[in-house]
Amino acid sequence: MDADGLPIVGPGIDYTKVKPIQHKRTLAFLNYFVTHTAGFLNRFSNVCEEKLSEVERRIQRLEVTMLIFENKLRSISDEFKTMIPEYVAPAEPSIEAAPTPAPATAAPAAPA
């Protein structure tokens, strides 16, 4: 036994001579653990639910904004569409056709 009267667990301990932990104390530890764990899980659940509802609200706002933009695009008249030139992607230059840099000429004169 140590200074507090608690048994030191080791290979040389005869467990038949060690006093058991009181049932009331064990029950108190268990109740404390269960209540604090349940409180933590409830708070964690509430925080997660709040964050998920915020994300859901932002997604709904984004969907509404997208619907508005889609309807605005649909409302553009065909006449206006014909005024916009078609986008033509620039051709990718091939490695062989790439221009070679011109050789450098004499260095510029230093200012006097």
Side-chain angles (χ1 to χ4, degrees):
M1 299 250 178
D2 66 356
D4 296 328
L6 298 173
I8 300 173
V9 179
I13 299 293
D14 183 12
Y15 293 111
T16 58
K17 296 179 182 176
V18 176
K19 293 181 184 178
I21 298 176
Q22 299 171 355
H23 293 291
K24 288 182 181 181
R25 190 172 184 188
T26 304
L27 201 58
F29 284 140
L30 186 63
N31 284 339
Y32 177 83
F33 172 76
V34 169
T35 55
H36 280 82
T37 302
F40 166 76
L41 291 175
N42 284 334
R43 284 189 301 275
F44 180 75
S45 171
N46 287 336
V47 168
C48 289
E49 192 172 328
E50 288 172 3
K51 288 184 178 188
L52 282 174
S53 65
E54 175 63 23
V55 169
E56 181 183 10
R57 186 186 64 79
R58 290 173 61 190
I59 288 173
Q60 286 175 349
R61 288 184 62 203
L62 183 63
E63 287 175 347
V64 168
T65 305
M66 284 180 54
L67 287 173
I68 291 171
F69 285 144
E70 286 174 355
N71 286 330
K72 284 183 178 183
L73 285 174
R74 281 193 204 111
S75 69
I76 296 176
S77 68
D78 289 334
E79 294 174 9
F80 184 71
K81 288 179 187 175
T82 57
M83 291 191 295
I84 301 173
E86 290 292 322
Y87 172 75
V88 179
E92 293 183 21
S94 63
I95 295 174
E96 296 116 16
T100 56
T105 58

